């Protein structure tokens, strides 16, 4: 059996294989519906991956508060109407998954990168309050280039964010999600606190590495406390800021080990996003080395992501121990049946939905 198609168990969650869907923001809530409520687009978008053979599908970032949304059109999990809409989607994925698909919710707060225009709006930068935006917050009053300056968060606001993550986790569990992922990457709030480039505080929520990691670990603890013991918890991190003076792989290895001690079961390893002046060096599988080091030096399971487009790449990453699973993003947008095709190319039989069985490729005629 190809390594990519071996089963994996995280706590009591049994995944039929190691090919997964990375969270991908759709910026498609509203404008006619209630803010933050997923709709038919999300049902179709996520459901297509289930029918396409993915074993685990992570939803787009679901904000834990209205102020935590990346844009006014982002999804949320901060009220019951949103949770009910998500329940419709989780039920759909469970019913129609070709590979017994499981679905996870990514919980997030955008911090200083909130209240921005969505990519296909035709505009860029922060959305003013007059156009439906809101004032943003962050660890320090330092703006991401081209965005509005955030207000520095006080103790009460920080504790409020921890509570918001826990409340969103309860809603996610009730909505039928199989696992949860905390978004601690790409320059959003948890990452903003982690990085010395964005956290300029001198109190106990900043300063040294322990202070800068404090919010992430507090959120992990709060979410773990309200989750079923049997449900795994994932954490997405940016392994490096790709900028001088920022987070590097050594710091990320230490964070991964700490997160595991606090109850995280898998580290979803990405990179970048903290600052606009990052000098990222993209290429095929350019982040697998970070995943491999974290996995090797901590013993914590990892997932890898980033310019992994072919089944051969994904198979190599798992077979050589660089990761326990592979998250696919843009390649899945181009081909929602990527996992069925990968199984065929790697010589593995993966069940197709009966409605599509007439399209199953033949190995011989």
């Amino acid at each position: 059996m190809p390594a990519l198609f071996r089963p994996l168990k995280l706590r009591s969650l049994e995944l039929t294989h190691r090919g997964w869907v990375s969270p991908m923001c759709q910026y498609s809530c509203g404008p006619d519906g209630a803010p933050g409520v997923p709709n038919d687009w999300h049902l179709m978008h996520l459901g297509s991956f289930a029918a396409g053979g993915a074993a685990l599908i992570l939803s787009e970032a679901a904000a834990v508060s209205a102020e935590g949304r990346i844009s006014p059109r982002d999804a949320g999990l901060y009220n019951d109407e949103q949770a009910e809409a998500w329940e419709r989607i989780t039920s759909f994925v469970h019913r129609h998954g070709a590979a017994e698909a499981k679905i996870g919710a990514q919980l997030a707060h955008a911090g200083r990168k909130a209240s921005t225009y969505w990519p296909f709006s035709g505009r860029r930068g922060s959305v003013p309050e007059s156009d439906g935006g809101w004032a943003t917050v962050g660890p320090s009053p330092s703006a991401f280039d081209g965005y509005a300056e955030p207000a520095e968060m006080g103790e009460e606001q920080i504790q409020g964010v921890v509570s918001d993550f826990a409340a969103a986790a309860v809603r996610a569990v009730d909505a039928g999600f199989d696992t949860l992922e905390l978004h601690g990457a790409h320059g959003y709030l948890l990452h903003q606190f982690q990085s010395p480039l964005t956290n300029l505080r001198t109190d106990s929520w900043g300063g040294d590495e322990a202070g800068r990691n404090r919010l992430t670990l507090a959120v992990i603890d709060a979410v773990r406390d309200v989750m079923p013991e049997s449900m795994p918890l994932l954490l997405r991190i940016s392994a490096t800021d790709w900028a001088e003076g920022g987070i590097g792989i050594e710091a990320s290895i230490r964070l991964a080990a700490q997160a595991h001690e606090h109850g995280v079961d898998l580290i979803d390893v990405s990179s970048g996003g903290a600052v606009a002046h990052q000098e990222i060096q993209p290429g095929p599988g350019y982040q697998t080395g970070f995943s491999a080091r974290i996995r090797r030096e901590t013993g914590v399971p990892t997932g890898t992501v980033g310019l992994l487009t072919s089944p051969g790449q994904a198979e190599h990453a798992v077979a050589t121990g660089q990761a326990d699973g592979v998250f696919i993003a843009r390649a899945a947008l181009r081909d929602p049946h990527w996992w069925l095709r990968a199984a065929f190319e790697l010589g593995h039989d993966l069940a197709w939905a009966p409605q599509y069985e007439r399209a199953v490729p033949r190995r011989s005629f």
Side-chain angles (χ1 to χ4, degrees):
M1 179 182 291
L4 184 64
F5 287 96
R6 294 173 187 157
L8 178 68
K9 186 174 183 179
L10 298 171
R11 297 202 183 213
S12 67
L13 180 63
E14 297 184 359
L15 302 174
T16 56
H17 62 74
R18 316 298 184 95
W20 309 329
V21 179
S22 192
M24 291 178 279
C25 289
Q26 297 298 289
Y27 307 101
S28 296
C29 294
D32 300 324
V37 178
N39 50 47
D40 286 349
W41 176 266
H42 303 85
L43 182 76
M44 179 277 298
H45 168 67
L46 297 172
S48 67
F49 302 137
L56 173 64
I57 301 163
L58 292 186
S59 74
E60 63 187 88
V64 300
S65 65
E67 305 79 41
R69 291 172 295 159
I70 302 168
S71 82
R73 298 192 66 175
D74 274 46
L77 254 170
Y78 53 85
N79 64 42
D80 292 343
E81 184 178 1
Q82 295 161 354
E84 290 171 5
W86 280 117
E87 185 174 13
R88 172 175 173 248
I89 292 169
T90 62
S91 176
F92 187 89
V93 166
H94 289 148
R95 291 199 313 272
H96 298 293
E100 301 178 26
K102 307 299 182 183
I103 182 168
Q106 187 188 61
L107 306 181
H109 190 300
R112 72 175 191 164
K113 295 177 82 173
S115 188
T116 59
Y117 285 106
W118 50 102
F120 45 90
S121 67
R123 290 171 285 185
R124 300 187 66 181
S126 296
V127 180
E129 293 186 43
S130 59
D131 200 17
W134 55 90
T136 59
V137 297
S140 305
S142 172
F144 187 84
D145 286 2
Y147 293 177
E149 181 179 294
E152 180 173 295
M153 298 172 69
E155 180 71 24
E156 185 175 344
Q157 287 175 299
I158 293 172
Q159 295 294 347
V161 165
V162 175
S163 297
D164 287 342
F165 269 95
V170 170
R171 289 192 176 93
V173 171
D174 290 344
F177 284 100
D178 301 296
T179 185
L180 305 180
E181 177 174 271
L182 303 176
H183 199 346
H186 301 166
Y188 298 123
L189 188 65
L190 299 185
H191 185 196
Q192 289 164 29
F193 270 83
Q194 294 162 17
S195 176
L197 297 175
T198 50
N199 185 342
L200 311 179
R201 305 173 74 100
T202 57
D203 64 3
S204 62
W205 297 101
D208 60 9
E209 186 176 292
R212 288 184 280 106
N213 287 346
R214 184 183 170 196
L215 179 58
T216 298
L217 297 178
V219 167
I220 292 170
D221 289 343
V223 168
R224 190 74 262 177
D225 282 348
V226 299
M227 290 173 63
E229 180 65 26
S230 59
M231 180 182 286
L233 178 61
L234 284 57
L235 173 67
R236 172 165 276 196
I237 67 169
S238 281
T240 175
D241 285 335
W242 297 103
E244 185 177 355
I247 291 172
I249 184 60
E250 298 292 346
S252 291
I253 290 169
R254 291 189 291 270
L255 174 60
Q258 289 180 300
H260 184 60
E261 292 174 357
H262 284 252
V264 165
D265 301 286
L266 182 140
I267 304 294
D268 177 0
V269 185
S270 189
S271 69
V275 292
H277 63 270
Q278 64 185 7
E279 296 182 0
I280 197 165
Q281 299 170 16
Y286 71 106
Q287 295 176 147
T288 58
F290 302 136
S291 170
R293 280 201 62 185
I294 290 172
R295 184 177 188 268
R296 182 175 65 251
E297 297 186 30
T298 67
V300 182
T302 63
T304 188
V305 64
L307 294 180
L308 293 164
T309 59
S310 73
Q313 284 178 295
E315 169 67 12
H316 178 76
V318 177
T320 58
Q322 296 178 75
D324 295 270
V326 175
F327 288 100
I328 300 296
R330 288 168 177 80
L333 296 180
R334 291 189 288 270
D335 178 8
H337 293 84
W338 188 94
W339 304 271
L340 293 173
R341 178 169 60 82
F344 176 77
E345 291 185 14
L346 295 174
H348 178 69
D349 291 324
L350 189 63
W352 287 56
Q355 297 92 333
Y356 284 6
E357 283 182 350
R358 75 191 76 174
V360 174
R362 296 182 181 275
R363 303 188 192 283
S364 61
F365 292 89

